[in-house]
Amino acid sequence: MKDILIQLGRRAGIGPVSFGAFDPTPLFAGASFEFAPCASEFFSTCIPSAKLDLDLYRIFSAADITSDNTDFIPSYFCAPHGFITISTDSSGDAFSVDITTGKVFYLSHEKYETDGIHPGWNAEATAFLPTLPVTRENIVNTSEGHWDSITDFLQEVLDYATESA
């Protein structure tokens, strides 16, 4: 993971990227989760010291992780359920790690409101589906997509940054 982040740092115009740890447990609002090995590795050794801004993608520093997960939608609603946003795109959609599996989920900020998750239209596009409560299952089921690991997500960001350069 660090090798990919170092390359992303170069692409973002940042000199040597230094890394630190970030403890996401205060963001869980008192809940307790068992960390997947890759999530544990990422949060304990791979958090960049500065935000890596790659136009479409922004990989967060520890301060950015705290800010986004306590102040912004959808992260604010998802962090207590073990989904920690580590990156956003230029429109504010979140890329959040499920710390129990290490998968990264693409979460649209437009679906989340204080009353729950608005999943969108039904299959016939004639009416909105009912609002869902924010639960781990509903976060996963209403995501716009996912990557099987943090490494897979970071590699896709690097591939994008390389192709768009």
Side-chain angles (χ1 to χ4, degrees):
M1 276 187 271
K2 277 188 184 177
D3 292 342
I4 296 171
L5 287 163
I6 289 168
Q7 292 177 62
L8 288 170
R10 285 189 207 120
R11 295 261 176 218
I14 295 175
V17 177
S18 59
F19 300 97
F22 177 79
D23 178 11
T25 56
L27 301 172
F28 300 155
S32 179
F33 300 98
E34 188 172 324
F35 281 70
C38 67
S40 180
E41 176 187 353
F42 180 77
F43 286 109
S44 64
T45 65
C46 297
I47 304 300
S49 57
K51 182 188 303 182
L52 306 180
D53 191 342
L54 301 147
D55 294 326
L56 179 61
Y57 297 98
R58 291 164 184 86
I59 308 296
F60 288 162
S61 68
D64 299 315
I65 292 171
T66 299
S67 174
D68 199 88
N69 285 279
T70 56
D71 297 331
F72 296 103
I73 295 170
S75 309
Y76 171 82
F77 295 117
C78 298
H81 299 279
F83 292 83
I84 303 300
T85 299
I86 61 167
S87 177
T88 58
D89 66 14
S90 57
S91 69
D93 291 338
F95 300 96
S96 300
V97 175
D98 175 354
I99 57 93
T100 67
T101 65
K103 292 181 179 182
V104 177
F105 290 88
Y106 179 34
L107 307 176
S108 171
H109 71 280
E110 294 174 348
K111 290 184 177 181
Y112 288 80
E113 299 287 338
T114 53
D115 62 341
I117 303 172
H118 298 265
W121 293 92
N122 64 14
E124 294 83 29
T126 59
F128 277 109
L129 294 168
T131 301
L132 302 169
V134 180
T135 65
R136 289 184 54 77
E137 180 180 1
N138 290 338
I139 292 168
V140 169
N141 290 337
T142 60
S143 73
E144 302 294 316
H146 78 278
W147 293 261
D148 288 333
S149 71
I150 300 167
T151 303
D152 289 348
F153 168 71
L154 294 172
Q155 184 61 55
E156 185 166 315
V157 172
L158 179 59
D159 292 346
Y160 170 83
T162 302
E163 291 170 9
S164 64

